[in-house]
């Protein structure tokens, strides 16, 4: 059989040979390539899935969890400060605030713009927020506004979906219920500076405060407490859905002071509007019961920021309201220094209690005449009479006999011109000059320097706290150390008892008794210099010593004119008025020192003021009470727990 071929154009089609398929090889190669490609893809996917689920599974699980959770740290409540009876003198008040978590929002400018439309921000707030955004880590909340009103909170809550990263939080504000009354002792807090934050990152948290003065500063670490944290569930836009876990941290320690806030009020009431300071101590253990420096300031202003106008007013005030005069004010001790000169002479053997020194009204040393305050003189005097009449010539001569070095050494033992380790900042040491000190400053020490030092003038500088310590050590004969902290966290300090202070070295009782008798005569005997200091409490006597410290030299011609009266000088040129005392005389419990700046005469101004302060102290007798013996003190709305 023959096949016929079919001609189709120029191409001939022939019937394929039976049993052969030419496309089969092509299909097989394509299938293999496709299978290889699929295998490679599946392998890559498998490798990727292995990486995601096995090798890096925990990492991505954490990332996913972090998208759902937000952990925020918050400042703990700052520890309260109380007086000796548990009355709060520094506490916390709750306030509502708006915070921003930068890590939760991707549009910080937009969020801040929408927030400011709802709750207007002051220019200084805006500048602060921008500064904190630059310097703080994104997970640390930033304060947008504090002290929110209910209307502010309502507007924010209503618009929370458009404010990613913004949350309303409850915080605390430091409040001082007694205001200026205890400002110098308790101190104040302020927002931390960039330097503070660089040293301690926790200070960057909203609400953290740093003590800048007083007990707030010296006890700052213990008052801060331990930072807490809260873990929250958030949605995709950062809105809080639920609180999952909370660690409250640890509140700061409560600090109990030795002060009696009621007595402090009474002392300030006695001082009234005078530029003055006063310190009352338990002369047996050094507890400071009252420490007043007037004028004062409102410490609460520093928590939110002091205005420029207020700061200028304070710094331009000649009576220095920002300075704690009790520990930082330096004054010549004047005649209050005479008991220390007497003790130095008794110890050196250059004077005995029965020795007599004649006062004609002046003494001539090295061609210079030094006058007594009495131009007619006091005649022949013993030590007791020299203290009773506060005779300058008597102590000129005692100082000349004894020399400055023994006087300085004894003064330091009494606490004058020596460091006192009390729990306050900026405590000044003062100065009891010596020939060595004078030479170190390039000058010669001469006999006249010793003479004027004998009556507490010249280069001498002491603080009211040192004067109160001095009076306490004379009264008790013990090396008492002034202190303000009575208990920390409920535990009494080592100095809370009466047995920690030992006797002062080389100051025998019979020497101390000779000085005490002279100070008793100052107040209680006829012709003493401080009859106005006599107590009106039946059966209770007080011993003391007056002092008038010159701030301007009075020339010989002015003294001998017979017409000089320092009370007629401008206020800033008048002498300071001083008085130190202790009571009861036969069993001393309390000592006090009063300094009235430019008060002119210690006997006329400081002595009656000290009498009233000591009367208030004895009538309250705070060291023998467990609860406040006085009137109720007005309290602010503060957290008392």
């Amino acid at each position: 059989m023959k096949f016929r071929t079919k001609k189709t154009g120029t191409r001939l089609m022939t019937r394929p040979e039976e049993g052969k398929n030419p496309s089969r090889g092509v299909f097989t190669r394509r299938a293999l390539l496709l299978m290889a490609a699929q295998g490679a893809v599946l392998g890559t996917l498998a490798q990727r899935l292995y990486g995601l689920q096995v090798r890096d599974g925990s990492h991505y699980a954490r990332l996913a969890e972090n998208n759902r959770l937000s952990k925020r740290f918050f400042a703990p409540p700052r520890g309260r400060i109380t007086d000796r009876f548990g009355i709060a003198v520094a506490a916390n008040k709750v306030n509502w605030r708006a915070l921003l978590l930068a890590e939760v929002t991707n549009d910080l400018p937009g969020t801040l713009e929408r927030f400011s439309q709802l709750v207007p921000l002051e220019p200084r707030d805006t500048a602060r927020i921008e500064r904190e955004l630059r310097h703080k880590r994104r997970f640390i909340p930033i304060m947008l506004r504090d002290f929110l009103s209910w209307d502010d909170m309502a507007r924010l809550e209503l618009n929370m979906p458009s404010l990613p990263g913004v949350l309303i939080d409850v915080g605390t504000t430091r409040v001082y219920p007694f205001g200026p009354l205890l400002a110098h002792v308790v101190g104040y807090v302020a927002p931390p500076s960039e330097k503070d934050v660089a040293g301690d990152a926790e200070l960057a948290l909203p609400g953290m405060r740093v003590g800048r003065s007083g007990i707030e500063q010296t006890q700052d670490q213990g008052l801060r407490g331990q930072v807490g944290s809260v873990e929250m569930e958030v949605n995709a836009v950062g809105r809080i859905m639920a609180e999952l876990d909370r660690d409250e941290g640890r509140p700061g320690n409560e600090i109990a002071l030795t002060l009696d806030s009621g007595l402090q009020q009474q002392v300030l009431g006695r001082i009234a509007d005078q530029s003055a300071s006063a310190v009352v101590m338990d002369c047996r253990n050094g507890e400071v019961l009252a420490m007043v420096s007037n004028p004062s300031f409102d410490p609460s202003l520093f928590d939110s920021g002091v205005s420029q106008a207020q700061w200028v007013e304070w710094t331009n005030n000649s009576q220095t309201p920002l300075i704690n005069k009790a520990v930082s004010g330096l004054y010549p001790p004047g005649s209050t220094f005479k008991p220390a000169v007497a003790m130095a002479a008794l110890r050196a053997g250059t004077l005995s209690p029965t020795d007599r020194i004649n006062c004609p009204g002046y003494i001539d040393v090295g061609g210079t005449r030094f006058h007594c305050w009495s131009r007619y003189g006091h005649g022949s005097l013993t030590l007791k009479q020299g203290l009773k009449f506060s005779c300058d010539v008597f102590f000129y001569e005692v100082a000349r006999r004894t020399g400055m070095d023994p006087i300085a050494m004894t003064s330091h033992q009494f606490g004058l011109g020596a460091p006192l380790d009390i729990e306050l900042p900026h405590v000044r040491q003062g100065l009891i000059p010596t020939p060595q000190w004078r030479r170190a400053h390039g000058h010669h020490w001469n006999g006249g320097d010793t003479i004027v030092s004998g009556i507490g003038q010249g280069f001498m500088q002491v603080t009211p706290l040192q004067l109160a310590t001095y009076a306490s050590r004379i009264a008790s004969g013990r090396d008492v150390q002034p202190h303000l902290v009575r208990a920390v966290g409920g535990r009494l300090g080592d100095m809370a008892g009466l047995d920690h202070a030992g006797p002062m070295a080389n100051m025998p009782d019979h020497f101390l008794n000779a000085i005490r008798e002279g100070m008793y005569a100052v107040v209680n005997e006829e012709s003493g210099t401080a009859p106005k200091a006599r107590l009106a409490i039946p059966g209770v006597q007080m011993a003391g010593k007056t002092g008038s410290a010159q701030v301007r030299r009075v020339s010989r011609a002015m003294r001998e004119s017979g017409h000089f009266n320092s009370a007629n000088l401008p206020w800033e040129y008048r002498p300071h008025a001083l008085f130190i005392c202790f009571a009861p005389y036969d069993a001393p419990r309390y000592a006090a020192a009063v300094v009235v700046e430019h008060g002119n005469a210690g006997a006329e101004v400081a002595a009656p003021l000290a009498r009233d302060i000591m009367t208030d102290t004895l009538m309250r007798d705070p060291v023998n009470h467990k609860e406040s013996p006085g009137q109720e003190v007005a309290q602010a709305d503060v957290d008392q727990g």
Side-chain angles (χ1 to χ4, degrees):
M1 175 182 278
K2 293 183 178 179
F3 291 93
R4 300 178 65 181
T5 62
K6 184 177 180 181
K7 190 174 183 179
T8 307
T10 59
R11 187 177 178 186
L12 291 175
M13 295 187 63
T14 58
R15 189 184 299 272
E17 295 182 10
E18 190 174 351
K20 291 185 178 181
N21 186 354
S23 64
R24 184 172 182 177
V26 175
F27 172 79
T28 302
R29 286 193 302 271
R30 289 177 178 174
L32 289 174
L33 290 173
L34 182 60
M35 290 174 61
Q38 291 175 336
V41 171
L42 290 174
T44 301
L45 290 174
Q47 184 180 17
R48 182 62 176 159
L49 288 173
Y50 176 82
L52 290 173
Q53 297 184 11
V54 180
R55 186 180 66 246
D56 300 325
S58 59
H59 169 70
Y60 289 105
R62 285 194 301 271
L63 291 178
E65 188 72 4
N66 289 340
N67 287 334
R68 185 179 69 91
L69 302 178
S70 176
K71 189 169 186 178
R72 178 168 57 87
F73 296 93
F74 58 86
R78 192 170 176 87
R80 294 195 317 155
I81 304 175
T82 72
D83 77 349
R84 66 186 300 113
F85 300 116
I87 298 173
V89 297
N92 304 307
K93 184 177 181 179
V94 170
N95 78 86
W96 294 93
R97 59 195 184 185
L99 304 180
L100 172 66
L101 285 172
E103 66 175 352
V104 178
T105 178
N106 294 321
D107 182 16
L108 279 173
T111 298
L112 292 174
E113 176 66 24
R114 287 188 292 274
F115 180 88
S116 63
Q117 292 172 356
L118 298 170
V119 180
L121 294 172
E122 297 290 335
R124 67 174 185 175
D125 290 329
T126 303
R128 173 186 55 79
I129 292 168
E130 292 175 353
R131 184 173 61 252
E132 291 184 3
L133 284 172
R134 288 194 302 269
H135 292 94
K136 287 187 177 181
R137 298 177 181 178
R138 291 177 62 83
F139 61 84
I140 296 177
I142 291 173
M143 175 85 72
L144 295 179
R145 268 284 303 272
D146 54 1
F147 304 105
L148 294 174
S149 67
W150 286 109
D151 290 341
D152 292 335
M153 289 191 290
R155 285 195 298 273
L156 291 175
E157 285 289 357
L158 186 63
N159 291 273
M160 274 300 175
S162 65
L163 296 170
V166 175
L167 62 141
I168 295 175
D169 184 58
V170 60
T172 58
T173 302
R174 199 64 163 170
V175 293
Y176 301 96
F178 293 91
L181 178 69
L182 288 161
H184 291 109
V185 177
V186 175
Y188 59 86
V189 296
S193 65
E194 292 183 12
K195 183 178 179 181
D196 295 324
V197 174
D200 185 350
E202 289 184 351
L203 293 177
L205 295 174
M208 288 296 281
R209 293 291 185 265
V210 176
R212 295 298 190 200
S213 176
I215 294 295
E216 292 276 30
Q217 179 177 343
T218 60
Q219 306 296 309
D220 186 51
Q221 287 292 336
L223 288 166
R224 286 184 197 173
Q226 182 176 322
V227 169
S229 63
V230 59
E231 191 174 74
M232 301 168 293
E233 184 177 17
V234 297
N235 62 14
V237 296
R239 186 174 186 182
I240 298 171
M241 306 303 295
E243 182 178 306
L244 303 179
D245 188 31
R246 176 178 285 266
D247 176 7
E248 295 292 347
R250 179 178 57 79
N253 291 328
E254 180 170 297
I255 306 291
L257 303 181
T258 60
L259 293 175
D260 174 3
S261 56
L263 178 61
Q264 183 90 355
Q265 281 186 315
Q266 290 178 304
V267 173
L268 183 59
R270 299 292 187 182
I271 290 175
D273 60 351
Q274 298 178 97
S275 180
S277 57
V279 178
V280 181
M281 287 175 56
D282 182 341
C283 62
R284 299 166 297 178
N285 65 0
E287 287 187 346
V288 177
L289 303 170
M291 180 183 285
V292 173
S293 178
N294 195 56
S296 186
F297 61 94
D298 184 356
S300 63
L301 297 179
F302 287 90
D303 189 45
S304 56
V306 176
S307 68
Q308 181 67 21
Q310 179 64 78
W311 183 257
V312 170
E313 179 185 336
W314 282 337
T315 53
N316 288 343
N317 190 329
S318 62
Q319 297 184 352
T320 60
L322 293 177
I323 294 176
N324 183 357
K325 298 182 177 75
V327 299
S328 299
L330 293 175
Y331 311 91
S335 292
T336 63
F337 189 63
K338 291 173 180 176
V341 176
M343 176 56 76
L346 292 169
R347 295 171 64 181
T350 58
L351 179 72
S352 75
T354 57
D355 286 348
R356 286 188 170 272
I357 295 175
N358 184 55
C359 170
Y362 60 88
I363 185 174
D364 292 323
V365 178
T368 302
R369 175 162 290 185
F370 298 89
H371 293 267
C372 186
W373 65 266
S374 172
R375 50 187 306 221
Y376 303 106
H378 293 99
S380 180
L381 302 173
T382 63
L383 171 58
K384 177 180 176 180
Q385 293 170 326
L387 289 169
K388 174 181 175 179
F389 300 125
S390 194
C391 176
D392 291 339
V393 169
F394 185 97
F395 288 96
Y396 289 151
E397 176 61 20
V398 170
R400 186 190 65 79
R401 294 180 184 180
T402 307
M404 199 60 216
D405 285 327
I407 293 174
M409 182 175 64
T410 300
S411 303
H412 291 159
Q413 280 192 263
F414 276 131
L416 301 174
L420 296 176
D421 190 22
I422 193 169
E423 306 92 335
L424 287 175
H426 316 303
V427 178
R428 302 182 73 176
Q429 182 172 330
L431 173 67
I432 303 298
T434 63
Q436 181 182 4
W437 168 84
R438 186 77 168 137
R439 288 191 295 270
H441 287 77
H443 301 282
H444 175 68
W445 182 273
N446 57 51
D449 294 328
T450 302
I451 296 299
V452 297
S453 295
I455 62 167
Q457 292 288 167
F459 303 108
M460 289 197 173
Q461 292 184 322
V462 300
T463 67
L465 176 65
Q466 290 179 340
L467 290 172
T469 304
Y470 167 45
S472 294
R473 293 180 181 180
I474 291 174
S476 66
R478 296 161 68 90
D479 188 24
V480 294
Q481 299 291 330
H483 59 281
L484 279 163
V485 175
R486 179 174 172 82
V488 177
R491 296 184 58 184
L492 288 175
D494 295 336
M495 294 191 289
L498 298 177
D499 300 325
H500 70 276
M504 290 183 292
N506 198 24
M507 292 196 185
D509 284 341
H510 63 282
F511 288 167
L512 287 168
N513 284 333
I515 293 171
R516 292 168 187 150
E517 289 173 4
M519 294 175 68
Y520 175 88
V522 167
V523 177
N524 301 286
E525 292 187 2
E526 187 178 354
S527 300
T529 55
K532 292 184 178 180
R534 200 168 299 162
L535 297 178
I537 304 174
V540 180
Q541 290 82 36
M542 179 172 75
K545 185 68 192 77
T546 55
S548 296
Q550 294 178 3
V551 297
R552 187 185 187 195
R553 185 178 180 274
V554 179
S555 69
R556 177 176 178 176
M558 293 170 67
R559 286 184 179 277
E560 294 181 348
S561 68
H563 303 293
F564 174 74
N565 185 350
S566 58
N568 296 328
L569 294 172
W571 178 81
E572 63 271 18
Y573 294 145
R574 297 173 192 169
H576 300 308
L578 302 91
F579 195 78
I580 61 171
C581 57
F582 62 87
Y585 174 74
D586 52 354
R589 291 201 303 275
Y590 303 109
V594 175
V595 177
V596 180
E597 291 184 335
H598 309 292
N600 193 49
E604 295 296 322
V605 177
L609 180 56
R611 173 202 64 205
D612 294 341
I613 290 172
M614 186 60 73
T615 299
D616 293 337
T617 304
L618 291 169
M619 296 301 290
R620 290 180 66 84
D621 199 14
V623 300
N624 289 328
H625 288 81
K626 292 185 178 180
E627 296 181 356
S628 178
Q631 70 278 11
E632 288 288 330
V633 180
Q635 294 286 291
D637 180 18
V638 299
D639 175 15
Q640 296 289 333

